[in-house]
Amino acid sequence: MTGQQAFQRLAALCARGEHCQNEMLEKMRQWGVSEEEQAQVMARLTEEHYVDDERYARAFVADKVRYNKWGRRKVEQALWQKHIDNDIATRVLDAVDDQDYINALRPLLQQKRRNTKASNEYDLTKKLIKFALGRGFTMDIIRQCMEVQDEDEFLD
């Protein structure tokens, strides 16, 4: 495949949704595009604003927090796997308000609390914390949600 053909296919792909540079490079490697042409195609995709890692990271983070209910750590790991620059990832993740994470985690913990069997409150709390950590949430966010849940129980 030539560089021009690769550019046309990748531009069409980027027009349908956000993609990062690493995804584009991987596609070109699969298609057997030479490294020199890969560099030229990436430069053109970036120059013409088809590919923008920061824009991709903002969309990725928003989707993963809002729809997948992921915490900061899990999103951070996913961005690292996609080879998003650490400066970009940190800037985008810092822009997410803690309240967004709390709004994602609270209903998950309420559902998990109803479905979790534990012999005492300590075991239940331990299981809920382990669950939230597995979803990538930080301890400070987990504590805030657990405190709210404890207060809600007293109101019942």
Side-chain angles (χ1 to χ4, degrees), residues 5 9 78 94 101 138 156:
Q5 290 171 324
R9 286 181 71 179
D94 287 346
Y101 292 119
T138 57
D156 289 340

Side-chain angles (χ1 to χ4, degrees), residues 34-85:
S34 72
E35 287 193 23
E36 183 180 309
E37 286 181 318
Q38 285 180 29
Q40 292 171 352
V41 169
M42 280 310 304
R44 188 168 169 203
L45 286 170
T46 304
E47 181 181 304
E48 295 183 20
H49 303 288
Y50 283 108
V51 174
D52 180 351
D53 277 353
E54 187 163 351
R55 186 180 65 214
Y56 171 81
R58 279 194 306 269
F60 183 85
V61 169
D63 284 352
K64 294 304 177 189
V65 171
R66 186 175 301 124
Y67 301 116
N68 294 54
K69 310 291 189 213
W70 285 6
R72 181 184 175 105
R73 301 254 188 243
K74 192 165 183 172
V75 175
E76 202 170 43
Q77 179 81 24
L79 289 173
W80 178 81
Q81 288 176 330
K82 292 188 172 287
H83 302 282
I84 301 297
D85 187 60

Side-chain angles (χ1 to χ4, degrees), residues 56-151:
Y56 171 81
R58 279 194 306 269
F60 183 85
V61 169
D63 284 352
K64 294 304 177 189
V65 171
R66 186 175 301 124
Y67 301 116
N68 294 54
K69 310 291 189 213
W70 285 6
R72 181 184 175 105
R73 301 254 188 243
K74 192 165 183 172
V75 175
E76 202 170 43
Q77 179 81 24
L79 289 173
W80 178 81
Q81 288 176 330
K82 292 188 172 287
H83 302 282
I84 301 297
D85 187 60
N86 282 339
D87 292 338
I88 292 172
T90 301
R91 192 169 46 246
V92 169
L93 287 166
D94 287 346
V96 178
D97 187 33
D98 282 352
Q99 192 61 45
D100 293 338
Y101 292 119
I102 291 169
N103 291 341
L105 179 58
R106 188 173 294 136
L108 289 175
L109 286 177
Q110 289 169 346
Q111 180 69 31
K112 187 70 172 174
R113 180 181 286 268
R114 284 191 290 269
N115 298 332
T116 302
K117 291 179 176 43
S119 58
N120 57 43
E121 189 64 29
Y122 176 78
D123 283 344
L124 178 62
T125 301
K126 187 171 70 172
K127 288 179 180 183
L128 291 174
I129 289 172
K130 186 175 179 181
F131 167 76
L133 287 171
R135 299 286 289 197
F137 291 95
T138 57
M139 270 311 290
D140 61 322
I141 299 295
I142 295 169
R143 272 193 212 102
Q144 289 179 42
C145 288
M146 297 293 284
E147 288 169 6
V148 168
Q149 282 201 332
D150 290 342
E151 290 172 12

